[in-house]
């Protein structure tokens, strides 16, 4: 009876593809889902609302240097009682008045300091919104590739389950014909049960990652487009870490935000010092008063109308405020120093984050190349172990270990590629130059026109192009091994040993 041969990996994957219920081939691109997230994500919408509020708050400060105009109106009645020794009289005097008054600050240094602060506050609000936009780009990209990574993990686990199942069936058949031991079957069964548990975990992880992406972009049933085959990762340009750091120190929004905060703190000191300075305002007014029955100061009981226009300058000089101004100046100087230290700390953090992101991206790119070579080597090792198992120089556990190593390498390769793609965006986020236009280079690595190629079609049953190594693997032809002739087992009956003679006991002579 010929010994059954386990299916090669390609045949196992083909079996999975034929049995899978494929998802729709058309998926959403990264840019498409990012556009959806811009209009739906609550965190980003909250940042935009905060930006609008900051603009309105900054505009309020301009009122301190603009004229203020007020309209007043008043109606009152005065009842006057006059009495002498021989005479008592009562008179009423109704009064209606209206006026309009305007005040124009001519010299108010505190108001001008607040106005200059408002200009910096607008720039700070813009920097805050830029940081929120960069964070949204990274969050959408991370969630997008998390789903693709979970799809690949599930597909590889299912393909591994097919391969282990074939190995388990082979071990059982070999045990039945007497060419292997029960240990091979038990080992294969244990590995199969482990893969089934891993499949359950992978299915749950994929559902969780899909829910996270759906919630982020506000679209149910998202279907990210996988990577195109062959996978071409974008290069790091420029490839100099110091260039990235220099650029970060010049344009990073967090550094600009801290620098603007220092400028605001300096203006706060100027505003505090203005407490010792005088103020000068120009005032203009026009008031009209109508007394239909005269006034209490006039002897006439006829109508009295008063029209008065006024113009003038008001000067005010503070002399003493209980040392409040001096202590306020000390407080603002200390806050200015605090903001200066915040600026320095921000620069250091940005520099460190940029260097870390750059080194991580370079390391990730090198890891991808190493895993591509490791995948090819693992495939060769699996083929060799299968051949050795067929000819009897390898045991079943060797084949199972080789299968596990190959599939684990494929998973690691897919994750490393996705990490490199997201790492490109994180590097630009770290040095502050990330924009939505940078998604174009990442989006170009996806399958064109929203449709994946045959080797990278989106399906939880099929690994995408991210798991495929460009390193060619020679296909080993496994020959069919003839059946092993087992001689009949007819042992001779055992020969029972002859018991030894009993010992001779010698009695010593008595004395």
């Amino acid at each position: 009876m010929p010994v059954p041969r386990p299916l090669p990996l390609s045949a196992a994957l083909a079996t999975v593809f034929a049995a899978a219920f494929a998802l729709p081939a058309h998926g959403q691109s990264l840019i498409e889902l990012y556009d959806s997230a811009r209009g739906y994500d609550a965190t980003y919408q909250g940042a935009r609302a905060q930006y609008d509020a900051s603009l309105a708050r900054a505009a309020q400060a301009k009122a301190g240097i603009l004229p203020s105009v007020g309209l007043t109106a008043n109606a009152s009645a005065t009842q006057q009682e006059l009495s002498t020794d021989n005479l008592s009289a009562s008179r009423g005097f109704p009064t209606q008045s209206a006026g309009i008054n305007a005040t124009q600050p001519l010299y108010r240094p505190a108001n001008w300091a607040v106005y200059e602060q408002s200009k910096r506050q607008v720039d700070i609000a813009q920097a805050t919104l830029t940081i929120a936009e960069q964070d949204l780009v990274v969050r959408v990209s991370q969630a997008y590739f998390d789903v693709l990574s979970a799809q690949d993990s599930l597909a590889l686990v299912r393909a591994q389950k097919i391969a282990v199942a074939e190995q388990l069936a082979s071990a059982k058949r070999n045990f039945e014909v007497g060419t292997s031991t029960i240990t091979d079957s038990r080992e294969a069964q244990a590995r199969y049960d482990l893969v089934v548990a891993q499949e359950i975990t992978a299915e749950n992880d994929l559902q969780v990652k899909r829910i996270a992406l759906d919630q982020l972009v506000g679209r149910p049933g998202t279907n990210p487009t996988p990577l195109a085959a062959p996978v071409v990762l974008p290069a790091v340009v420029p490839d100099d870490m110091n260039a990235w750091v220099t650029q970060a120190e010049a344009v990073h929004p967090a550094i600009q935000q801290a620098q603007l905060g220092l400028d605001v703190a300096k203006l706060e000191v100027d505003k505090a010092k203005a407490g010792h300075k005088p103020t000068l305002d120009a005032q203009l007014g026009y008031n009209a008063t109508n007394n239909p029955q005269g006034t209490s100061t006039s002897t006439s009981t006829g109508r009295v109308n008063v029209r008065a226009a006024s113009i003038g300058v008001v000067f005010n000089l503070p002399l003493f405020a209980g040392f409040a101004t001096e202590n306020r100046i000390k407080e603002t100087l200390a806050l200015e120093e605090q903001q200066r230290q915040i600026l320095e700390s921000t620069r250091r953090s940005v520099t460190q984050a940029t260097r870390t992101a750059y080194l991580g991206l370079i390391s990730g790119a090198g890891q991808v190349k190493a895993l591509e070579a490791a995948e090819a080597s693992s495939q060769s090792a699996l083929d060799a172990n299968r051949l050795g198992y067929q000819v009897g120089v390898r045991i079943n556990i060797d084949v199972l270990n080789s299968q596990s190593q190959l599939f684990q390498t494929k998973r690691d390769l897919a994750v490393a590629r996705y990490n490199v793609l997201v790492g490109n965006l994180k590097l630009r986020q770290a040095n502050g130059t990330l924009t939505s236009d940078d998604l174009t280079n990442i989006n170009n690595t996806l399958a064109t026109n929203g449709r994946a190629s045959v080797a990278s079609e989106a399906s939880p049953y099929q690994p995408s192009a991210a798991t495929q190594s460009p390193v060619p693997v020679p296909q080993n032809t496994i020959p069919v091994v003839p059946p092993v002739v087992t001689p009949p087992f007819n042992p001779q009956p055992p020969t029972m040993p002859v018991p030894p003679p009993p010992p001779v006991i010698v009695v010593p002579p008595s004395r």
Side-chain angles (χ1 to χ4, degrees):
M1 177 180 180
V3 178
R5 185 182 61 175
L7 293 176
L9 179 60
S10 58
L13 292 177
T15 304
V16 176
F17 303 158
F21 297 94
L23 294 178
H26 290 278
Q28 297 89 25
S29 67
L30 180 59
I31 295 179
E32 182 181 353
L33 293 184
Y34 170 74
D35 292 337
S36 298
R38 276 180 62 91
Y40 180 80
D41 181 62
T43 302
Y44 178 70
Q45 292 300 319
R48 287 195 62 88
Q50 180 63 39
Y51 171 74
D52 295 337
S54 298
L55 293 183
R57 188 184 306 112
Q60 297 173 21
K62 194 175 182 180
I65 62 174
L66 296 178
S68 59
V69 181
L71 177 65
T72 60
N74 181 42
S76 62
T78 303
Q79 188 68 27
Q80 188 179 45
E81 296 283 345
L82 298 176
S83 62
T84 62
D85 293 339
N86 301 322
L87 181 64
S88 176
S90 176
R91 298 176 58 188
F93 304 98
T95 302
Q96 299 93 31
S97 63
I100 183 170
N101 297 275
T103 301
Q104 171 62 56
L106 298 179
Y107 180 73
R108 284 185 174 269
N111 291 14
W112 279 98
V114 172
Y115 175 62
E116 292 297 327
Q117 283 179 328
S118 69
K119 296 180 180 179
R120 275 71 173 182
Q121 293 291 350
V122 172
D123 296 334
I124 290 176
Q126 181 60 57
T128 303
L129 181 60
T130 300
I131 293 175
E133 290 177 345
Q134 293 179 351
D135 179 67
L136 179 63
V137 170
V138 173
R139 286 191 292 118
V140 172
S141 302
Q142 186 68 66
Y144 188 94
F145 290 115
D146 281 347
V147 173
L148 292 181
S149 178
Q151 285 182 355
D152 290 341
S153 296
L154 178 58
L156 289 170
V157 168
R158 287 175 172 170
Q160 184 179 5
K161 185 174 72 170
I162 294 292
V164 173
E166 289 294 333
Q167 194 67 25
L168 173 59
S170 175
K172 289 181 178 180
R173 288 191 295 266
N174 290 343
F175 174 72
E176 291 174 356
V177 299
T179 59
S180 66
T181 64
I182 190 62
T183 304
D184 291 343
S185 299
R186 299 289 172 79
E187 289 172 345
Q189 184 65 53
R191 190 62 58 89
Y192 181 82
D193 295 338
L194 177 62
V195 173
V196 170
Q198 293 173 349
E199 180 184 11
I200 296 174
T201 302
E203 288 177 345
N204 178 73
D205 183 63
L206 176 58
Q207 292 180 3
V208 171
K209 296 298 175 54
R210 282 190 178 278
I211 292 174
L213 181 60
D214 292 347
Q215 182 178 358
L216 181 59
V217 303
R219 297 176 60 173
T222 53
N223 181 28
T225 302
L227 300 182
V231 178
V232 180
L233 300 178
V236 183
V237 179
D239 57 352
D240 181 14
M241 180 171 59
N242 293 328
W244 288 94
V245 172
T246 302
Q247 190 179 34
E249 293 176 348
V251 301
H252 199 286
I255 295 180
Q256 294 178 351
Q257 193 177 43
Q259 180 62 59
L260 292 168
L262 178 59
D263 296 340
V264 170
K266 292 179 179 179
L267 290 170
E268 191 67 23
V269 175
D270 296 339
K271 185 171 68 173
K273 292 180 179 179
H276 289 308
K277 298 179 181 180
T279 61
L280 188 64
D281 299 328
Q283 291 185 346
L284 178 65
Y286 181 80
N287 296 274
T289 304
N290 180 32
N291 299 281
Q293 299 180 7
T295 65
S296 61
T297 59
S298 65
T299 58
S300 173
T301 58
R303 178 184 298 273
V304 177
N305 293 327
V306 179
R307 305 288 185 270
S310 62
I311 185 172
V313 177
V314 179
F315 176 82
N316 183 22
L317 178 64
L319 297 179
F320 181 71
F323 303 105
T325 304
E326 289 82 356
N327 289 305
R328 174 61 180 164
I329 293 174
K330 292 180 181 179
E331 177 190 2
T332 54
L333 288 173
L335 293 175
E336 178 187 356
E337 179 61 25
Q338 178 193 29
Q339 195 62 42
R340 185 175 288 106
Q341 297 303 321
I342 291 176
L343 173 59
E344 182 62 26
S345 175
T346 303
R347 283 175 176 161
R348 295 173 183 174
S349 299
V350 168
T351 299
Q352 179 183 359
T354 303
R355 295 181 184 275
T356 301
Y358 179 85
L359 294 175
L361 181 57
I362 296 300
S363 174
Q367 186 181 20
V368 168
K369 294 182 179 179
L371 287 172
E372 288 174 349
E375 183 190 15
S377 301
S378 298
Q379 182 66 61
S380 299
L382 175 59
D383 295 339
N385 276 283
R386 279 177 171 162
L387 180 60
Y389 179 68
Q390 291 294 323
V391 299
V393 297
R394 289 290 182 178
I395 59 176
N396 189 50
I397 191 62
D398 295 329
V399 178
L400 295 174
N401 289 337
S402 298
Q403 288 176 348
S404 298
Q405 179 180 343
L406 175 60
F407 285 105
Q408 183 61 46
T409 303
K410 285 180 174 291
R411 282 194 292 267
D412 293 343
L413 175 59
V415 172
R417 281 173 170 162
Y418 295 137
N419 288 341
V420 168
L421 293 174
V422 179
N424 275 276
L425 300 176
K426 289 185 176 180
L427 174 58
R428 285 166 172 77
Q429 181 190 27
N431 87 322
T433 60
L434 179 63
T435 64
S436 58
D437 296 335
D438 293 319
L439 289 175
T440 303
N441 292 334
I442 307 300
N443 201 71
N444 290 338
T445 62
L446 305 178
T448 58
N449 300 324
R451 178 180 292 276
S453 61
V454 175
S456 61
E457 186 173 342
S459 170
Y461 300 92
Q462 179 178 353
S464 72
T467 65
Q468 308 302 318
S469 174
V471 180
V473 180
Q475 297 295 331
N476 296 328
T477 303
I478 302 177
V480 178
V481 181
V484 178
V485 179
T486 304
F489 184 68
N490 296 318
Q492 298 295 327
T495 304
M496 299 301 295
V498 177
V504 178
I505 300 175
V506 179
V507 179
S510 59
R511 294 182 182 180

